[in-house]
Amino acid sequence: ARLVVFVSGSGTNLQALLDACRDPAYGARVVAVGADRDGIAALGRAAAAGVPTFVHRVKDYPDRPSWDRAIRDATAAYEPDLLICAGFMKLFGVDFMAAFPERIINTHPALSPAFPGMHSARDALEYGVKVTGCTLFAVAGGIDDGPVIAQRAVPVEDDDDADTLHERIKVAERAMLVEYVGRMARGGWSITDRKVTVR
Ligand code: GRF
């Protein structure tokens, strides 16, 4: 399967996928990496793996829909089977979503529907939960609210701060992402009434 991965930061989830794809039995290849900004470590990881990258910054476009169509077209050129948002900090619009129905997944460092948004480890700590985790879901247009594909629970330690907690979550998150992307790539998937079946 042809994967396009979208990033906005350090790219450790991307790196986990790049490493997994080195095994021909994994059944997938990262054909491109897309980003909404330059100067992030994730782009360096793609370059080091010889994977093409494309960057589309919202501020370079007159409005959000034109950004959405530009990144849609750049992505479509790679003919992806599965699109993976791994630390991507933008929401795709209707034009992008329409081009890749049921083929966009996102990983989030919380047990959805708890703690959506960009500060989920901090929010979990502030709430005082004893268990948090990560969620892999099919992107349906909202913020971290699509049909759930997989989840992993991660304990909160008494001496955690947001960074130590997020790092612990990311260990589980990378394993979850690699497992399910491989299964989806090899066996396919279907989504019916918010239920995702991964063969
Ligand atoms: C991941 O935990 C992702 O779920 C969240 O931001 C983090 C990105 O980490 N949105 P990385 O860029 O893959 O290292």
Side-chain angles (χ1 to χ4, degrees), residues 27-112:
R29 182 160 66 92
V30 179
V31 296
V33 171
D36 61 337
R37 65 197 75 184
D38 283 301
I40 53 174
L43 290 173
R45 293 178 188 275
V51 173
T53 62
F54 54 93
V55 177
H56 290 267
R57 303 183 309 176
V58 170
K59 63 183 173 191
D60 292 339
Y61 291 86
D63 54 45
R64 188 59 178 255
S66 48
W67 170 83
D68 193 62
R69 288 189 293 275
I71 199 166
R72 171 199 63 189
D73 296 346
T75 303
Y78 288 98
E79 299 179 339
D81 299 305
L82 184 58
L83 293 74
I84 300 136
C85 296
F88 189 58
M89 289 297 157
K90 290 288 185 300
L91 274 185
F92 291 126
V94 290
D95 291 330
F96 188 101
M97 302 283 292
F100 309 106
E102 302 192 346
R103 280 188 280 158
I104 312 169
I105 65 176
N106 184 8
T107 176
H108 180 66
L111 291 177
S112 302

